[in-house]
Amino acid sequence: MKIAFIGLGNMGGGMAANLVKAGHDVRAFDLSEAALAAAKEAGCETFDTAREACASAEAVVTMLPNGQIVKQVYWDDVIGHAPEGAVMLDCSTIDVETAREVIEVTEAHNYDMVDAPVSGGIAAANAGTLTFMVGGSEKAFKRAEPILAAMGKAVIHAGDAGNGQAAKICNNMLLAIQMIGTAEAFAMAEKLGLDAQTFYDISSVSSGQCWSMTSYCPVPGVGPESPADRDYAPGFAAALMVKDLRLAIEAAEKAGAKTEMGSHAKAIYEAFADEHGGLDFSGIIRTL
């Protein structure tokens, strides 16, 4: 397929490269010259504007920083510039209301569209092992699924428009809570005289086991390789975790959901990111 890919940052660059590897004709655009150069090196055709990238595209994939930019790109550069009938896939992490608004407007212009935020971080984006949480109609999902499958290991239909974003922010709120708890447990174990590896060996096969421990351990040299072994180079930056937690708590307030642990995790990560926003979110253990 001819696929326009708009947004070639830490995540988008690897995703676009994997579409090329899958045999697609990728038409790439980003504001960064360095990102465009890397995309060209990976086999993408690069363009000076998003509109040019969308011309003649059968599908458009966007990976952008926030909802305001997503709306601007779709309003100004995608709708009416991509051929009628193309399928749109927004893989950005944005608020649920904006995701639903963009899909509603886009579909009114005779496109199919899904919101498809990702889980997995930079390494998974490069390796093509992301998880996609997808919101949209059954028709739009079926059209988007093979494109997403070229970039990930799991593509899950979460329901109607916006439900992909809902799944993402709920998942990442849970992840933040788990990581803080995991870090606290390791710090406490050390203060009680329990070796970190020994605690890992016990808890990883006991009821305290969780992904933050066994797949992404915040302690260097314990468990599989993780950002902790690279001095907390992300990975998934603390500043991005703050963004997702703010989206989660905003959505919870609008929905009337009670999220005491989520709100506390947000406050903890906001304080951490004020000074260490570029570190991986597992670096929260340094505060303990």
Side-chain angles (χ1 to χ4, degrees):
M1 295 180 68
K2 287 185 178 180
I3 301 175
F5 202 111
I6 303 170
L8 303 164
N10 290 331
M11 298 291 291
M15 293 164 67
N18 282 316
L19 288 175
V20 173
K21 292 175 185 176
H24 296 294
D25 175 7
V26 180
R27 305 163 57 84
F29 171 75
D30 194 277
L31 293 173
S32 165
E33 291 295 331
L36 284 173
K40 190 171 185 178
E41 181 71 20
C44 300
E45 183 179 2
T46 58
F47 292 84
D48 293 331
T49 68
R51 291 184 184 184
E52 291 176 301
C54 290
S56 80
E58 300 165 86
V60 178
V61 180
T62 48
M63 190 64 165
L64 300 165
N66 58 55
Q68 182 179 352
I69 294 174
V70 168
K71 286 176 71 170
Q72 180 181 348
V73 167
Y74 276 87
W75 291 180
D76 296 347
D77 300 309
V78 178
I79 295 173
H81 300 283
E84 187 173 309
V87 60
M88 312 296 180
L89 303 81
D90 182 38
C91 297
S92 319
T93 297
I94 62 175
D95 62 284
V96 175
E97 288 185 357
T98 296
R100 289 175 175 161
E101 179 186 358
V102 173
I103 290 176
E104 181 180 4
V105 172
T106 302
E107 290 186 338
H109 286 80
N110 297 316
Y111 300 104
D112 288 319
M113 185 174 182
V114 298
D115 59 295
V118 307
S119 178
I122 297 170
N126 291 334
T129 57
L130 293 166
T131 293
F132 290 91
M133 298 155 262
V134 189
S137 69
E138 187 68 31
K139 176 189 174 188
F141 173 74
K142 286 182 177 179
R143 293 187 66 191
E145 186 176 17
I147 300 170
L148 297 171
M151 302 182 286
K153 65 178 181 180
V155 181
I156 302 167
H157 192 195
D160 293 337
N163 280 16
Q165 301 295 345
K168 171 66 182 286
I169 58 177
C170 289
N171 178 77
N172 277 21
M173 183 180 73
L174 178 57
L175 173 59
I177 295 167
Q178 284 184 341
M179 183 56 76
I180 293 168
T182 299
E184 286 184 354
F186 272 104
M188 180 177 173
E190 179 183 359
K191 287 175 169 45
L192 294 172
L194 180 60
D195 175 72
Q197 183 64 55
T198 302
F199 175 61
Y200 175 89
D201 292 343
I202 294 168
S203 193
S204 64
V205 293
S206 301
S207 55
Q209 186 277 331
C210 63
W211 185 89
S212 293
M213 173 177 287
T214 55
S215 296
Y216 212 86
C217 187
V219 179
V222 178
E225 185 180 350
S226 71
D229 300 305
R230 301 184 296 275
D231 200 28
Y232 300 99
F236 183 57
L240 294 178
M241 178 58 85
V242 169
K243 171 195 168 184
D244 289 0
L245 286 169
R246 287 173 175 167
L247 289 172
I249 301 310
E250 178 187 348
E253 290 172 350
K254 289 179 179 178
K258 189 174 182 179
T259 55
E260 291 183 6
M261 293 293 288
S263 296
H264 192 40
K266 171 178 167 287
I268 290 172
Y269 269 107
E270 284 176 333
F272 178 65
D274 278 345
E275 295 186 17
H276 307 292
L279 291 183
D280 189 78
F281 82 107
S282 62
I284 196 73
I285 197 169
R286 288 185 168 180
T287 66
L288 301 169

